[in-house]
Amino acid sequence: QVQLVESGGGLVQAGGSLRLSCAAAGRTSYTYTMAWFRQNPGKEREFVAGIGSSTSYADSVKGRFTISRDNAKNGYLQMNSLKPEDTAVYYCAARESSYVSRRGADYVYWGQGTQVTVSS
């Protein structure tokens, strides 16, 4: 089993930056791919970015967000030039494959989420 814990969310003005962290515990050798998803109430969960054997970004965040990891345990999402439409609960997810899938259903492990609110 792998446990994921996100941190770093908060309230920021449009144009500002936040850095989300995802700490993995347990059998972290299985966390080959880490990804970030986001979701607003009443809306579908949305892929944001993922890192495995390569990196992948949603078009809406490309050029503004950067995903990284320092080992099998810790992942990060640097978010710059934030917009009000980036407001959501952000979730860290992991799967036992080096392929970065954009489908939430392909991820086995999930964190509890962290709120990001961008004010205009």
Side-chain angles (χ1 to χ4, degrees), residues 25-47:
R27 303 180 71 179
T28 55
S29 61
Y30 291 117
T31 54
Y32 297 131
T33 290
M34 277 189 174
W36 291 91
F37 290 79
R38 64 188 182 187
Q39 189 171 24
N40 280 305
K43 294 190 176 182
E44 291 190 359
R45 183 172 49 197
E46 174 188 21
F47 172 82

Side-chain angles (χ1 to χ4, degrees), residues 66-77:
T66 302
I67 189 171
S68 63
R69 62 193 302 178
D70 52 19
N71 49 42
K73 293 183 180 295
N74 301 314
Y76 308 94
L77 185 67

Side-chain angles (χ1 to χ4, degrees), residues 6 21 34 40 42 44 50 79 95 97 111:
E6 304 96 335
S21 298
M34 277 189 174
N40 280 305
E44 291 190 359
M79 305 186 295
R95 68 191 296 254
S97 169

